Amino acid sequence: MSEWIKGAFNASDYILRDIIDNVPTTALTYPTNDPIEHARISQLIEKKRQTLPYSNGVGLNDNKCIMTHTPAEVGFDASQREWCYVPMKNPKLDTYVSNMFMSNIGEMMVIQTRKFPDNKGLAGLGLNLSFFSQWVKKVHIGRGGVVAILDRHFNLLARQPESPQALGKKAGSPILEQFMTSQLKNQSFSHTSPLDGTGRLYNIRKVDNLPFVVIVGLANTDWLASWYKQVAISIFITALLWLMGWFILRHYQDILEQKSELEEISNKDQLTGLYNRHMLSKTLEKEYHRAKRMQGTFEVIILDIDNFKQVNDTYGHNVGDVVLQELALLMKKSIRLSDTLGRWGGEEFLIIAPIKDHQNRSSMAENLRTKIEAYNFTTVHTITASFGVTRYQEGDCINSLIKRADDALYDVKKQGRN
């Protein structure tokens, strides 16, 4: 709960930072010299406030704590309010969260403020007690348990089970008072509640850098009953663990198979079933480092279907997809097991072919070119492809290698394709 509350105030502080970034300090004047600009800023800060649930007010003050923008009372002197005079009198404080107080309209609330640069004013957000009630409602610790939030003045901000008549009233005790003045962050103790007379085991914790204390109390009747159940539960858990172990062993192989399938999916192009660009990039990097380490080489072939846009425009994208699938299958049957084939993007494919220095693999591209040209594709019957071929050379990087293949492909396209 402490972390929830801290996170919520971090969120509201982001809103205050946003307001400060969008409001010039020259606008922090009362009375205003520019009613139109004043109305614009008032609408702006109200719009920002509405993004935060449970906030019930927003306002701006000048460096003397005079309210310059607020849906409530513009011109109100807040110099006696804790949320204004504490940060304004302390140059080291950029942001401040107040203890609970009663507002001008008779509503119990807390205010979070953040200073404008150079101490020229404040932006503040008001939060009603419903803000705190949302957290205690999320926790259930038994029939007789209690969860509460107090401020550093011992004002009760929220309680579960609900006790509306107690909200805003002092709920202190000698133990709490001693805890508040100590350096302890949390403390446990047994105590009988002054509100309902129930004996409980309590833990109290200060919320870091905020004036709040979270109290969790487990009723004696609940935790004793729970303790008696532990033996039976332990036996049950032991048997359950044995059963779970059996199921884990039984399904271990299934999990490994599913993992393998997921890895396969993440590396494959959905349409063609070939490797995708991500997997091709990994293979390129692997081959690059191998060639660099072993002073070897490998070949990179980029091929692009000629006039593929005309296929899509003439026959539709479904036919274009079939062409890509048939081409992928044709190429897959035409390369070696040691070669890596994948879809580079769109109608472009890439082949990575490990070779030895004395091997001449450039004929692979010509072999594929003639096979593609001769193949009878569904509906479109004939297509051609253009190829860019290069080989790793000492001093190359992956980008230079790909660029050289791309440039070769581009030259072929200019010369008439195929």
Side-chain angles (χ1 to χ4, degrees):
M1 284 184 61
S2 296
E3 295 303 316
W4 292 344
I5 295 171
K6 285 167 58 180
F9 276 98
N10 284 336
S12 59
D13 188 48
Y14 288 139
I15 295 175
L16 292 174
R17 290 174 184 269
D18 193 18
I19 290 174
I20 288 173
D21 288 341
N22 286 278
V23 176
T25 55
T26 54
L28 303 179
T29 57
Y30 173 80
T32 181
N33 297 322
D34 188 346
I36 295 177
E37 178 67 3
H38 185 275
R40 184 192 71 79
I41 292 176
S42 297
Q43 291 175 359
L44 170 70
I45 64 175
E46 175 62 17
K47 186 176 180 180
K48 300 291 185 184
R49 179 200 69 80
Q50 291 174 359
T51 63
L52 184 68
Y54 306 106
S55 63
N56 61 345
V58 62
L60 305 177
N61 297 70
D62 64 14
N63 59 357
K64 295 181 181 179
C65 290
I66 303 299
M67 299 292 298
T68 62
H69 299 75
T70 177
E73 184 181 347
V74 176
F76 174 72
D77 184 356
S79 58
Q80 300 303 311
R81 297 290 197 188
E82 172 197 354
W83 53 264
C84 193
Y85 72 76
V86 171
M88 292 306 292
K89 290 182 179 180
N90 191 337
K92 295 182 179 180
L93 282 180
D94 292 323
T95 184
Y96 184 75
V97 178
S98 73
N99 290 280
M100 191 218 77
F101 70 99
M102 191 70 69
S103 71
N104 293 339
I105 58 175
E107 186 174 11
M108 293 179 286
M109 60 189 298
V110 300
I111 286 185
Q112 182 177 16
T113 59
R114 174 165 280 278
K115 288 196 290 191
F116 280 85
D118 302 323
N119 229 43
K120 290 187 177 180
L122 286 174
L125 280 169
L127 301 168
N128 57 36
L129 298 193
S130 298
F131 170 80
F132 297 96
S133 297
Q134 65 174 317
W135 306 120
V136 297
K137 288 179 180 178
K138 293 184 177 183
V139 180
H140 178 70
I141 54 170
R143 294 181 180 180
V146 64
V147 183
I149 303 173
L150 278 64
D151 65 16
R152 294 294 178 93
H153 293 166
F154 308 108
N155 297 309
L156 182 64
L157 306 181
R159 186 180 189 272
Q160 188 69 20
E162 295 181 356
S163 181
Q165 71 280 3
L167 293 180
K169 295 182 179 179
K170 300 290 184 183
S173 70
I175 297 175
L176 274 175
E177 292 172 6
Q178 183 179 4
F179 172 69
M180 289 292 198
T181 57
S182 73
Q183 299 298 315
L184 296 175
K185 289 188 175 182
N186 65 87
Q187 182 177 343
S188 297
F189 59 91
S190 181
H191 186 62
T192 300
S193 170
L195 294 178
D196 57 18
T198 301
R200 295 185 177 91
L201 182 63
Y202 287 94
N203 185 274
I204 51 179
R205 177 177 289 273
K206 296 173 184 174
V207 182
D208 293 340
N209 303 316
L210 292 172
F212 307 119
V213 175
V214 177
I215 302 176
V216 177
L218 183 63
N220 293 340
T221 53
D222 289 338
W223 70 263
L224 284 172
S226 177
W227 186 85
Y228 288 130
K229 293 178 182 178
Q230 292 307 307
V231 173
I233 292 175
S234 297
I235 295 173
F236 172 76
I237 289 176
T238 301
L240 184 62
L241 288 173
W242 278 101
L243 185 61
M244 287 174 61
W246 180 78
F247 275 109
I248 289 171
L249 290 174
R250 181 180 176 182
H251 293 289
Y252 180 68
Q253 186 62 40
D254 291 340
I255 293 171
L256 290 179
E257 290 176 0
Q258 290 173 5
K259 180 181 178 183
S260 177
E261 289 175 4
L262 288 173
E263 290 177 351
E264 184 79 4
I265 291 171
S266 69
N267 291 328
K268 290 295 182 70
D269 174 61
Q270 186 175 3
L271 177 64
T272 63
L274 301 179
Y275 285 132
N276 56 23
R277 188 171 185 135
H278 171 71
M279 187 60 182
L280 288 171
S281 297
K282 289 171 62 177
T283 305
L284 265 174
E285 187 172 354
K286 180 180 176 181
E287 284 298 321
Y288 168 77
H289 287 296
R290 183 195 62 78
K292 191 174 181 180
R293 183 178 64 254
M294 304 297 294
Q295 296 183 341
T297 187
F298 63 96
E299 200 165 71
V300 172
I301 302 172
I302 297 179
L303 67 98
D304 181 86
I305 302 175
D306 296 328
N307 301 314
F308 187 70
K309 183 177 183 301
Q310 293 181 11
V311 174
N312 284 329
D313 292 344
T314 304
Y315 301 100
H317 287 277
N318 288 339
V319 173
D321 288 348
V322 172
V323 169
L324 291 173
Q325 291 170 336
E326 291 181 351
L327 176 60
L329 184 60
L330 175 63
M331 290 191 295
K332 194 172 182 179
K333 291 179 178 179
S334 303
I335 63 173
R336 304 172 305 172
L337 291 176
S338 58
D339 299 332
T340 301
L341 167 66
R343 188 179 179 189
W344 192 240
E347 63 270 24
E348 281 192 340
F349 296 82
L350 186 139
I351 301 171
I352 304 165
I355 57 177
K356 295 181 179 179
D357 289 339
H358 64 274
Q359 286 181 309
N360 181 8
R361 292 294 300 163
S362 300
S363 58
M364 178 193 290
E366 177 61 20
N367 181 43
L368 287 172
R369 187 195 68 79
T370 56
K371 284 187 176 181
I372 293 169
E373 185 179 25
Y375 189 80
N376 184 20
F377 288 87
T378 302
T379 305
V380 300
H381 302 302
T382 301
I383 65 169
T384 61
S386 298
F387 295 74
V389 185
T390 190
R391 182 176 293 191
Y392 168 78
Q393 301 169 3
E394 186 176 353
D396 265 335
C397 65
I398 294 176
N399 288 338
S400 66
L401 192 63
I402 294 297
K403 184 179 185 305
R404 197 160 58 245
D406 266 334
D407 290 344
L409 176 62
Y410 180 73
D411 290 342
V412 170
K413 292 285 188 179
K414 287 196 301 183
Q415 294 169 19
R417 300 182 173 86
N418 194 24

